[in-house]
Structures are given as C-alpha cells and as structure tokens.
Amino acid sequence: RQWIVNATTLPLNHDGTATTALTAEVTQQDTRPLEVIYTLQTDTRQLTRYTVPVAPDGTAETIQTVGRITPWTPETPNLYNLTATLCAVEPDGTRKTLDSVTRRIGFRTVSCTAQGGFQLNGITRKIKGVCLHHDLGMLGAAVNRAALLRQLLLLKTMGCDAIRTAHNMPSQ
C-alpha cells in the first residue's frame, strides 16, 4: 500500500490551542471504502482522534484544533506522537488496518519582524550559533553517532541553538 501523510501545524492560538492541517494521499486504491484515523497523543495520554474518509481522488484531509498544547522550545522540546492509520471499511462496518505511521511533531510559532526581531512563541530570542566543521577533530570525517551526540549536547549546554555547517556538507 502506498500513501503519504503530511501534517502542517499553524501558528499557536492565544488560548493555548493549536490548529493543524492533516492530509493523507493514498496512491493505490482499494475496492473497499478507506478511512484514515489520525491520533495525536503525548507519551501518557491521547489528546485527539479523528476519522476521515478517503475521498475518490485518494485524499483524506482535515483541519482540526487541538487543546492543551505545550509549545515546543529549545529548553523544553515538547513533542507529540501523531499516528495516521489507514483502514479499509469492511461490508459489516468493521475496520481492517492496512498500514500505520507515527511521527513525532512539535507545535510552535515562529515570526520575524523589524520591531521584535526573531520570535519563538511570541518571545524575542537571540540566536546563538556556531560555525561547525564537518569532521570531529581527531576522530576524522567518518560519522560517529556517539561523538556527534556528545558534541551536540556540549554545544547545547554552552547555550548554542543554531549550527552553520562549514566547508563540506554533512552527510546526514
């Protein structure tokens, strides 16, 4: 089964809710009616669940407002699990799961104005970045995930929140 899921989060609302546009495109049709079940949850509780029928053109689109959202920031990177489940509706009304995909997403508002500069979730932030070479010093240019993670954690403890890669582009 081939299908694509896209989630677009719109700027956060002032009342602590978030609006998200969810789209699934099914490229391989089935003779049975299809539905996509979108579920948004934290690690401990389910926030929303929407069932959207797949249209004859293969799309299942919805725009929903989700309450009780904690915004994503570099200091508190709150992430949510968005699961899209593609189901076939059997003649007796039961659903048969054909495929499911889960992605980690965050909600935040980004703006840049002459008056406020760069703002994340309505708060002006100074971007503190570094120019980082692709290699890991004495370890060389081969990718070493543990060394990269250590390097990123050290940069974060130093207050770094932006990286400009230098010379050779990183492989990943």
Side-chain angles (χ1 to χ4, degrees):
R1 179 111 9 237
Q2 295 182 358
W3 64 309
I4 299 168
V5 176
N6 184 31
T8 304
T9 56
L10 304 175
L12 294 172
N13 302 321
H14 295 291
D15 61 358
T17 62
T19 303
T20 184
L22 304 169
T23 305
E25 297 176 24
V26 181
T27 57
Q28 182 179 347
Q29 287 295 326
D30 196 304
T31 57
R32 301 166 290 186
L34 300 176
E35 294 179 341
V36 177
I37 301 171
Y38 297 105
T39 307
L40 184 69
Q41 58 191 37
T42 65
D43 289 333
T44 58
R45 67 183 165 94
Q46 180 175 307
L47 299 175
T48 59
R49 181 182 172 103
Y50 306 108
T51 302
V52 182
V54 176
D57 67 355
T59 60
E61 300 176 320
T62 185
I63 296 176
Q64 299 291 336
T65 300
V66 183
R68 302 174 302 201
I69 292 296
T70 305
W72 179 95
T73 67
E75 296 78 26
T76 55
N78 295 298
L79 294 175
Y80 298 84
N81 297 311
L82 173 65
T83 302
T85 305
L86 180 63
C87 297
V89 181
E90 301 293 344
D92 64 359
T94 61
R95 291 184 180 94
K96 179 182 177 189
T97 299
L98 302 175
D99 197 9
S100 184
V101 62
T102 300
R103 296 287 181 258
R104 301 278 286 166
I105 64 171
F107 296 89
R108 84 273 188 265
T109 300
V110 176
S111 64
C112 191
T113 63
Q115 297 79 22
F118 174 77
Q119 292 185 327
L120 180 64
N121 301 326
I123 299 170
T124 300
R125 295 182 62 101
K126 298 285 185 194
I127 298 175
K128 302 173 212 120
V130 297
C131 181
L132 190 64
H133 287 254
H134 71 287
D135 64 6
L136 293 166
M138 297 288 290
L139 296 177
V143 175
N144 181 320
R145 290 190 186 274
L148 282 174
L149 180 60
R150 179 181 178 275
Q151 187 178 52
L152 291 174
L153 291 174
L154 284 171
L155 288 170
K156 187 168 180 158
T157 60
M158 292 170 31
C160 176
D161 56 12
I163 295 174
R164 175 186 173 267
T165 57
H167 303 301
N168 299 318
M169 293 302 295
S171 63
Q172 297 178 3

